[in-house]
Amino acid sequence: MGRNTELGVIHRAVDDARSGRGGAVFVTGEAGIGKSRLADAAVERGLSLDMCVLRGRGSAIGPILPFRCLTELLLSLRHSGQRVDIGELGPYRQVLSRLVPDWHDDDATGGSGESLVIIAEAVLRLTALVARDHGCMLVLDDLHEADAESLAVFEYLIHHLGRHATLLVAACRADSGTAPALARSSAQRRLATLVRLRPLSRAALRELTASCLETSPAEVPESVVDLLWAGSAGNPLHAEELLNDLCEGGVLRRTEQGWEMGGPVPVALPMTLAPSLSRRLDLLSAEAREVLSVAAVLGHRFPLEVVQALTGLDDRDLLGHFSAGSLAAHLVTPDEQHPDWYAFHHPLLAESLLAMLPVARRALLSGRAADAVERLHPGLPGEWCQQAATLRLGAGDRVAAGRLFTEAGRRALTQGAARSAVTLLERAQEALAADGDVDSRADAQEALLFAYVEIGQVDRALASVEVLSRLGGGLDRRRRSEWHTRLAWAAVVAGRSGDARAQVDAARALLGPDPDPAASVRVDAVEAHLMLNQPGSAHVAAEALARRAVTVAESIPLPDVACQVWQLLGALSRIRDPAEATACLERARVIAVRHRLPIAEAHVLVRLGNDEALHGATLDRLDQARDIAGRIGAVTVGYQAESSVALHMVLMGRYAEAQRLIDRILPDTVRLNLLETTQYLLLSQAMLAAHQGRRRPMEAALGEFKAAGGDLPLHMPRVFGLVRAFCALLEEDRLRAVEDLERGLAAEAQSPTIFPLSGRYGLDLLLRALAGELDEPSLRSLTGAPASRLRWDRQFSLLAGAVLAGRAGQAEAAGAAVSEMSRLAEPYEMSRHLAMRLVAEAAIADGWGTPVAWLRSAEEYFHGVGVTPVASACRAMLRRAGAPVGQRRRGVERIPAELRSAGVTVREFEILRLLRERLGNREIAERLHLSPRTVEKHVASLLVKTGQPSRLGLSQLAL
């Protein structure tokens, strides 16, 4: 009643979502103002349009049960009647299985500790799947009570629902808190519509009263409206409760003339439910009042088993108080989604009832309830730990409550719900601040430090270390060292090298000058990673430290540390010896498989897949890594594998496939804030443009790469050696290419990188050989290094050797090198033709090989892919070599490759096809509108180019 404007907003939003234009609507207002009723109206509208409706709500126990609201929303899918193939979610199915275990893939080998963003993306994809046919609606009640993880997921959804047929409708109170702040900020950014419910007007209150009394507004006595207006101030819930009180108390009754007031009319009523509720409780038996008091202590929702344990009632008596027709049934109702649980009709009822209890009585009931919960649920699994903590706090036992909050926070952290863990652990701190012993306070602070690290709040974590240092004077030094080590790793991940170094130093100082290797192994592992980004010869020290760490980690054993450090050793040794790097990675995989570390195994497979692609130009192992990541729900690993596939596709000249793959996954990695993978893809995008000679798109991609933090020293060798230098060569700007290569190699010398393909062992050797700046001993020295064995590099180094051999008059050796290069470079179409175009210059000058054939093949390729500068250079060199060069005409693609290589033109090919029909020159001339003399010249040219002895031989060529 009185909400026509707001209802119109809701209906338009639902209709838009049904039409494919999704979004979000927040309904805010004070308690009892009618938020849930408006949400119900949205549900009715959605169901009338055949939309799938999923519904969830905040936890009534408090905003500390991780993923409670989100899980309830997902579980409602099974009650919606919507049939959805969860398998279509691919790897995201496993991500959601942590919330809905029934969705676990039995073929999966492990679980995933994915980030909140990945979980949010999984939910987004699920809603898109559900909404595919008729649209989807997500309805969230009491969002102000939702846990931090669910709120983070909903915030992500709000940003991305606009392109889906999904509407999110959330109801929350308008007072301070995370949910109202989310509503306001989303509305300000025009990502959501904010519907603020105001108190009903007097006219709307009359309509509401008439509806409740089942009469017309004109029949409602003015005195009743006056009374309700004074007592409710336009709040619908308060008005209904007061109206119900008037009817039950006989003040308002129906007569033959209609509704009339009888008896004394109160002069004024306070705007609270307490007086009304108190009068209704007076009508209940003492036993019923006790049941409701215990229920209120337990919360808005409450389990019957705990109420029964506290009251001692049998099933019949207890359920009798809640049965239809009982007075208590006007206050509580069965919980639709959780058997054996009941809920108050409105949270305000529970809050008011709790406020009416004397403080001592409330504390006594809270303590007894906590005892009952601990007795009924040994070990306090799931939500019972938080429930018991809240009850202990209500009982005044702050120390016990603080310890329980600490345990609940640790559990939340283990589940990956770091934000909820922070909330719980901060409550633990508050509870233990005055009375807690040092050990308990240190336990809570330590867990809080780890939680801050998980959510990326390094500054708050640093502050936690200071607090721990003050508390921990009498604590174990090794334990305190672990705090600093954990924080050091967080700083490494965040790119804060200075903070990381300070924490490593603090950890080592606590361990002393001669620490137990088992105590320092994690510090060694972190410091080795920290050295990766340091210039100069830090990689040598990092490798020594990593080898010490991995030896200790395997002996203890600490499989997670060992697996991590073996991967680091693989990265450090790749530039020096790729075979050794592969051996390190294989060792890491053995450990991961043996100790059932599926996520670690998937990470190792991505690195092994890159090694295999670099050595053998095959993507099989990367595909395997992608499949395993998808099966276990390791979404981030899957994107890493696909980004590696994209880069190697570019190297292989599979440009269209690479572009499709980048276009598909880059928006996802940007949205999911997967920074390193995004950088990798943007570098691949720049390389894709460069390897097609498209400078402007290359520069644009490099600009995005830099904006994404890709301008680090470790990336510069590839930016110049694998991207810019190739673009310059395809522009026929040899001088610029040499300068780019020199810049990249200088950057690599100053800051050694763990990434290969800088050009040092490949393209640079070929260009130096062509320029006369490379001799045989230097070439032998460089190609003798293990790092020179990568297949991409060898195609260029082999040709560098061929140039030197041909210049020395060793034509046979030069030809053998070209043959070996042709075999190795077969997967790399563009680079193969580009390299042969470069080598043809030397072959023509020094008189060796078959440069004309190389140039014709290169010209045909670069003409076909639209790289005009190189195609033109090939034609110019063919002319200088005295070879015939035909004009490029439409239809050249129909000429067989062998004939194109021989220089057969489009016109000559047309004549050749007619010769197969045994036509004479005059007949051919008539067909093609040429003179017989012109046909005769073309036939003579064909005889020379094909090497055939006669017209008969030409007519028998396989076309």
Side-chain angles (χ1 to χ4, degrees):
M1 296 296 175
R3 303 296 190 195
N4 292 336
T5 300
E6 294 86 349
L7 199 57
V9 172
I10 292 289
H11 285 178
R12 284 193 296 275
V14 175
D15 294 346
D16 285 346
R18 182 64 176 81
S19 301
R21 301 184 302 277
V25 176
F26 284 93
V27 182
T28 66
E30 65 181 77
I33 202 68
K35 302 182 295 294
S36 295
R37 294 185 185 184
L38 206 55
D40 290 341
V43 170
E44 291 178 9
R45 182 74 168 189
L47 292 175
S48 71
L49 297 174
D50 293 327
M51 296 177 73
C52 177
V53 177
L54 308 182
R55 198 156 192 171
R57 59 188 168 187
S59 170
I61 296 175
I64 52 177
L65 191 59
F67 299 110
R68 171 64 176 272
C69 186
L70 180 60
T71 301
E72 189 168 303
L73 186 81
L74 298 178
L75 287 173
S76 70
L77 180 60
R78 69 177 62 173
H79 306 299
S80 69
Q82 180 88 1
R83 304 185 68 177
V84 177
D85 182 5
I86 301 299
E88 290 188 47
L89 292 173
Y92 289 95
R93 170 180 178 170
Q94 284 302 106
V95 175
L96 291 179
S97 70
R98 66 182 290 186
L99 305 179
V100 185
D102 290 349
W103 292 352
H104 179 72
D105 184 357
D106 292 336
D107 294 330
T109 56
S112 170
E114 294 290 2
S115 70
L116 270 176
V117 178
I118 299 297
I119 294 173
E121 177 69 12
V123 176
L124 180 65
R125 294 183 180 226
L126 175 65
T127 61
L129 187 62
V130 172
R132 188 162 54 191
D133 294 329
H134 302 291
C136 175
M137 185 185 301
L138 311 178
V139 181
L140 307 167
D141 294 304
D142 298 329
L143 192 66
H144 51 277
E145 292 181 337
D147 58 279
E149 280 68 34
S150 293
L151 282 174
V153 170
F154 298 143
E155 182 177 12
Y156 183 90
L157 294 181
I158 291 165
H159 276 80
H160 302 290
L161 285 179
R163 64 179 189 275
H164 296 277
T166 299
L167 175 67
L168 184 148
V169 179
C172 66
R173 294 185 186 177
D175 48 9
S176 61
T178 305
L182 174 60
R184 290 190 295 272
S185 64
S186 299
Q188 289 168 357
R189 287 176 287 174
R190 299 185 179 180
L191 298 172
T193 300
L194 182 57
V195 177
R196 295 184 177 91
L197 294 186
R198 310 295 184 188
L200 294 177
S201 66
R202 185 181 176 89
L205 186 62
R206 179 185 291 276
E207 291 183 13
L208 174 65
T209 306
S211 175
C212 294
L213 297 178
E214 298 181 350
T215 188
S216 67
E219 298 297 322
V220 177
E222 195 67 29
S223 57
V224 173
V225 178
D226 290 339
L227 185 60
L228 296 179
W229 180 251
S232 71
N235 184 295
L237 178 65
H238 291 176
E240 290 178 352
E241 289 295 324
L242 290 173
L243 183 63
N244 183 70
D245 194 46
L246 292 174
C247 291
E248 290 184 353
V251 176
L252 179 64
R253 55 181 180 268
R254 185 191 291 272
T255 68
E256 293 182 359
Q257 288 74 33
W259 288 95
E260 295 181 353
M261 293 286 287
V265 178
V267 175
L269 290 175
M271 288 177 287
T272 173
L273 292 178
S276 174
L277 184 60
S278 178
R279 285 189 289 274
R280 295 171 71 176
L281 289 176
D282 288 341
L283 300 176
L284 299 175
S285 65
E287 188 175 87
R289 287 197 299 273
E290 177 72 3
V291 168
L292 290 176
S293 297
V294 169
V297 165
L298 293 171
H300 168 213
R301 294 170 55 255
F302 53 90
L304 288 184
E305 62 173 351
V306 179
V307 176
Q308 188 172 40
L310 265 68
T311 60
L313 298 175
D314 59 28
D315 292 344
R316 180 177 179 180
D317 290 340
L318 179 61
L319 292 174
H321 289 297
F322 300 139
S323 62
S326 67
L327 292 176
H330 292 291
L331 302 175
V332 298
T333 184
D335 189 306
E336 295 178 356
Q337 298 191 13
H338 299 86
D340 299 325
W341 281 65
Y342 273 69
F344 285 90
H345 280 295
H346 196 281
L348 272 180
L349 294 172
E351 294 170 14
S352 298
L353 187 57
L354 195 62
M356 293 167 57
L357 289 174
V359 174
R361 176 67 175 160
R362 189 191 314 172
L364 177 63
L365 286 177
S366 295
R368 289 176 54 203
D371 293 338
V373 167
E374 292 176 357
R375 184 171 63 255
L376 291 169
H377 301 280
L380 298 176
E383 65 188 72
W384 296 111
C385 189
Q386 294 94 305
Q387 178 80 355
T390 303
L391 291 169
R392 290 294 179 201
L393 194 61
D397 191 347
R398 300 181 65 82
V399 174
R403 290 171 179 166
L404 287 171
F405 277 128
T406 299
E407 175 60 24
R410 285 195 184 120
R411 293 180 187 180
L413 199 55
T414 301
Q415 296 169 9
R419 298 183 188 214
S420 287
V422 167
T423 301
L424 289 160
L425 293 166
E426 286 178 344
R427 293 190 68 177
Q429 272 190 316
E430 183 181 350
L432 294 167
D435 305 319
D437 57 88
V438 171
D439 284 338
S440 296
R441 292 168 64 192
D443 287 346
Q445 191 69 48
E446 179 184 46
L448 184 58
L449 183 153
F450 296 160
Y452 284 148
V453 167
E454 287 299 319
I455 63 176
Q457 294 190 5
V458 179
D459 288 328
R460 296 181 74 180
L462 287 166
S464 290
V465 168
E466 296 302 320
V467 175
L468 280 167
S469 298
R470 292 195 296 270
L471 285 175
L475 298 178
D476 179 65
R477 295 174 68 88
R478 179 169 175 174
R479 178 181 176 187
R480 291 162 60 194
S481 174
E482 290 174 359
W483 304 339
H484 292 284
T485 303
R486 175 72 73 94
L487 189 54
W489 178 247
V492 169
V493 173
R496 298 173 58 163
S497 301
D499 288 329
R501 168 53 58 191
Q503 294 304 316
V504 165
D505 292 344
R508 291 202 182 283
L510 285 165
L511 292 175
D514 188 24
D516 177 4
S520 63
V521 61
R522 293 188 185 274
V523 187
D524 291 342
V526 173
E527 187 169 13
H529 278 89
L530 179 60
M531 291 178 176
L532 277 181
N533 294 328
Q534 295 179 3
S537 58
H539 284 196
V540 176
E543 184 171 350
L545 199 57
R547 291 196 179 279
R548 184 175 78 184
V550 80
T551 300
V552 175
E554 287 195 333
S555 65
I556 292 178
L558 294 172
D560 59 325
V561 176
C563 190
Q564 180 188 39
V565 178
W566 274 120
Q567 291 182 73
L568 173 61
L569 285 168
L572 287 167
S573 60
R574 180 179 289 113
I575 296 299
R576 183 184 68 250
D577 188 346
E580 181 183 344
T582 300
C584 291
L585 294 175
E586 291 288 4
R587 178 61 183 163
R589 189 187 182 197
V590 167
I591 293 172
V593 172
R594 179 182 300 159
H595 294 277
R596 298 181 180 179
L597 304 172
I599 304 295
E601 182 191 3
H603 277 290
V604 175
L605 278 174
V606 172
R607 292 172 171 81
L608 284 170
N610 273 306
D611 279 2
E612 188 172 83
L614 290 169
H615 286 286
T618 174
L619 303 179
D620 293 347
R621 211 158 193 180
L622 280 172
D623 288 335
Q624 181 188 7
R626 178 167 51 182
D627 292 343
I628 288 179
R631 192 162 63 249
I632 65 175
V635 174
T636 54
V637 185
Y639 283 128
Q640 290 169 4
E642 289 190 304
S643 65
S644 295
V645 168
L647 183 140
H648 290 289
M649 281 180 172
V650 175
L651 294 179
M652 295 176 187
R654 294 161 59 179
Y655 302 134
E657 293 176 77
Q659 188 66 70
R660 286 194 296 271
L661 183 56
I662 292 172
D663 288 344
R664 179 171 62 81
I665 63 178
L666 181 57
D668 291 344
T669 64
V670 171
R671 186 169 64 249
L672 299 174
N673 198 29
L674 304 178
L675 185 58
E676 289 188 4
T677 307
T678 297
Q679 292 173 353
Y680 202 92
L681 286 168
L682 289 172
L683 182 62
S684 298
Q685 181 77 66
M687 188 169 67
L688 176 62
H691 284 215
Q692 297 175 85
R694 300 164 59 219
R695 179 165 292 277
R696 184 173 295 178
M698 178 197 76
E699 296 290 1
L702 287 176
E704 293 183 57
F705 178 63
K706 181 177 180 179
D711 58 341
L712 298 173
L714 74 161
H715 293 306
M716 290 304 102
R718 287 198 298 181
V719 167
F720 286 100
L722 196 57
V723 179
R724 291 189 175 278
F726 276 92
C727 188
L729 287 174
L730 293 175
E731 293 170 330
E732 286 295 316
D733 190 344
R734 187 90 54 91
L735 179 60
R736 187 173 190 171
V738 170
E739 291 175 349
D740 285 334
L741 264 174
E742 288 175 349
R743 290 184 64 182
L745 296 178
E748 185 179 47
Q750 184 176 0
S751 298
T753 176
I754 60 174
F755 298 118
L757 307 185
S758 65
R760 178 177 301 279
Y761 298 104
L763 182 61
D764 182 61
L765 298 179
L766 176 56
L767 294 183
R768 286 169 57 195
L770 290 170
E773 299 171 355
L774 182 72
D775 56 24
E776 183 63 34
S778 298
L779 176 64
R780 214 168 27 245
S781 173
L782 285 165
T783 56
S788 70
R789 297 169 188 164
L790 299 182
R791 188 165 183 164
W792 173 265
D793 285 332
R794 288 191 65 201
Q795 62 179 327
F796 300 109
S797 62
L798 281 168
L799 288 186
V803 170
L804 295 181
R807 190 173 295 155
Q810 301 169 6
E812 186 175 345
V818 170
S819 297
E820 175 65 8
M821 177 271 183
S822 298
R823 182 188 66 81
L824 276 177
E826 191 275 332
Y828 307 121
E829 191 172 18
M830 184 282 291
S831 61
R832 182 177 76 248
H833 287 298
L834 178 62
M836 296 311 298
R837 170 261 175 273
L838 294 170
V839 170
E841 293 181 8
I844 292 172
D846 299 326
W848 62 273
T850 56
V852 170
W854 303 339
L855 287 169
R856 289 198 187 283
S857 179
E859 191 277 338
E860 179 187 339
Y861 170 79
F862 286 112
H863 175 81
V865 297
V867 182
T868 302
V870 182
S872 299
C874 290
R875 287 195 290 271
M877 292 172 63
L878 284 168
R879 293 188 185 97
R880 289 198 298 271
V885 180
Q887 292 183 342
R888 279 291 178 184
R889 298 177 55 190
R890 193 176 303 170
V892 68
E893 69 279 356
R894 295 195 297 270
I895 305 175
E898 184 178 352
L899 294 179
R900 286 203 303 272
S901 298
V904 173
T905 67
V906 174
R907 179 65 78 188
E908 288 171 345
F909 183 63
E910 291 173 344
I911 292 172
L912 185 59
R913 294 177 66 181
L914 294 176
L915 285 172
R916 289 172 59 91
E917 299 180 24
R918 302 293 195 272
L919 299 179
N921 287 353
R922 185 173 297 278
E923 293 171 299
I924 293 173
E926 290 175 355
R927 288 269 192 102
L928 299 178
H929 305 286
L930 302 173
S931 70
R933 179 64 178 159
T934 300
V935 174
E936 184 179 343
K937 290 181 179 179
H938 283 310
V939 171
S941 178
L942 282 169
L943 290 172
V944 172
K945 291 179 178 179
T946 63
Q948 294 298 319
S950 63
R951 293 172 65 98
L952 179 61
L954 290 174
S955 67
Q956 293 176 344
L957 281 175
L959 303 183

